[in-house]
């Protein structure tokens, strides 16, 4: 049971954001971190820093964790990303144990040298076939795949045209690859087209990469991929789609929105992560040509100069793809969607506003950061674990509670979560009156 909370909270803990500390000044690179720490610690002392928690148990539908202050918390878990609940699947655990027996625990090298295992090679083939694409290459994380595919292919004279809400790994990759980074408003295809038109009017000699996600991780919405791909053909640009959040857990036979929109095998480049659905860490890029795969292996720094997936990770993800593709995968996706629908419905009935379309990401609008922090602080006492999301992950003033749904959640879990959030908001509003 968490310690009782004081209602008297200093306003500095409810105002300000990470933005205030993103560009500290001064010659001492380490000294200048102190100001951020003071603000963070003020929040921590008042129970308002709900980040950097550590699980004390399997991150299943009910779990225990520790705040970074050391305070124990626990309850219904909507804070872990394991959409098909594969991380607790007996076949996955057995596969991981067998991989340790056979290969040990360490890949012991980059995939550009001798770090890949036979499972990793088989996994590359499996992902390519899953997406109807000729080739795929693994990366140590999804972040590395997003950053690495851009840094590997785009050069300073080239251009990037990106959805403004594209994930940090894509934004960082873009910034490090070229100064020619152009953003269009979230899911604004007209904006995307006018950028392509104006870039091509002045430059037909260099490349353009257009970057979007098949399911946006904070807004739970999807772009029209067919229209974007067609636009890219028209302007001789290359489309990159990040399918981290929907691949495996949505769409026909788990093919996500790419499958839903009948675009299997038709997107130029698809990248993804194993950390949401495939019970492990790691990422991939799927492409249309062996030459692209080979180029990435040797010119994409997070692939070339980083250790390959561990044998356990590669074996686990391979097994996860097997489950995703067979009848059990279909049953898990049905259960997941039933939970998503029930959660969105329950939240709606309590008057909450939920972002986007049904997906495993259920983001509840909490509005300004101050109230959102107070709500998040109250959640553990009502037995709900869910992540507060603030700037820079979402725009200022649009804080939200991100609930990530799993196939194994029960209707009782969903009911408890809605009741807990309702009570937490009531308490937080009382705290806020002061
Ligand atoms: C859209 C998107 N792309 C990429 C990543 C990075 O994936 P990983 O956690 O495997 O590094 C994430 C995870 O936060 C994500 O949400």
């Amino acid at each position: 049971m968490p310690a009782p909370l004081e209602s008297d909270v200093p306003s500095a803990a409810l105002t300000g954001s990470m933005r205030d500390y993103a560009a500290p000044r001064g010659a001492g690179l380490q000294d200048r971190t102190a100001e951020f720490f003071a603000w963070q610690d003020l929040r921590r002392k008042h129970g308002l820093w709900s980040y950097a928690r550590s699980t004390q148990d399997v991150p299943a539908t009910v779990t225990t964790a520790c705040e970074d202050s050391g305070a124990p918390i626990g309850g219904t878990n909507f804070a872990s990303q394991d959409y098909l609940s594969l991380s607790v699947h007996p076949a996955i655990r057995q596969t991981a144990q067998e991989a340790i027996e056979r290969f040990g625990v360490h890949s012991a090298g980059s995939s550009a040298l001798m770090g890949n295992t036979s499972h990793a090679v088989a996994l590359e083939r499996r992902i390519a076939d899953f997406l109807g694409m000729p080739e795929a290459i693994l990366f140590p994380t999804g972040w590395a795949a997003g950053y690495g595919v851009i840094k590997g292919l785009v050069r300073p004279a080239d251009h990037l045209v990106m959805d403004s809400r594209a994930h940090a790994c894509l934004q960082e990759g873009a910034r490090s690859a070229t100064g020619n980074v152009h953003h269009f408003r979230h899911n604004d295809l007209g904006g995307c087209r006018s950028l392509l038109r104006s870039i091509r009017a002045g430059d037909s000699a260099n490349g353009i990469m257009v970057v979007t996600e098949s399911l946006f991780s904070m807004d739970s919405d999807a772009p029209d991929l067919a229209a974007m791909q067609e636009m890219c053909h028209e302007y001789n640009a290359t489309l990159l789609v990040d399918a981290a959040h929907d691949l495996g857990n949505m769409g026909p036979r788990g093919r996500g929105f790419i499958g839903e929109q009948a675009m299997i095998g038709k997107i130029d480049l698809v990248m993804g992560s194993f950390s949401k659905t495939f019970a492990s860490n790691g990422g991939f890029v799927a492409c249309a040509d062996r030459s692209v795969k080979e180029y990435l292996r040797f010119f994409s720094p997070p692939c070339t100069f980083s250790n390959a997936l561990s044998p356990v990770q590669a074996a686990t993800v391979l097994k996860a793809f097997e489950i995703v593709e067979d009848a059990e995968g279909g049953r898990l996706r049905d259960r997941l969607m039933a939970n998503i629908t029930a959660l969105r419905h329950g939240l709606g009935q309590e008057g909450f506003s939920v972002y986007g379309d049904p997906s495993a990401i259920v983001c509840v609008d909490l509005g300004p950061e101050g109230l959102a922090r107070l709500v998040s602080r109250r959640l553990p006492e009502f037995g709900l674990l869910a992540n507060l999301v603030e700037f820079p992950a979402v725009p200022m003033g649009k804080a939200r509670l991100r609930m990530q749904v799993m196939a194994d959640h029960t209707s009782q879990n969903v009911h408890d979560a809605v009741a807990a959030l309702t009570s937490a908001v009531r308490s937080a509003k009382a705290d806020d009156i002061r």
Side-chain angles (χ1 to χ4, degrees), residues 141-143 167 169 213 217 242 244-245 271 273 275-276 282:
T141 64
W143 206 98
H167 190 261
C169 64
E213 296 179 17
S217 61
D242 179 343
H245 282 276
M271 63 137 292
S273 157
S275 65
K276 330 290 175 192

Side-chain angles (χ1 to χ4, degrees), residues 8-18 20-21 35-46 48-49 369-371 373-374 390 396 432 434:
D8 195 15
V9 174
S11 67
L14 296 176
T15 53
S17 84
M18 306 271 273
D20 305 336
Y21 307 96
E35 223 178 306
F36 166 68
F37 181 70
W39 175 73
Q40 183 208 38
D41 213 34
L42 183 69
R43 286 182 61 175
R44 184 182 290 109
K45 284 187 177 118
H46 291 275
L48 294 160
W49 186 256
E369 288 75 16
L371 179 64
R373 287 171 200 167
L374 289 169
E390 306 176 53
M396 288 293 297
D432 208 20
R434 294 193 317 272

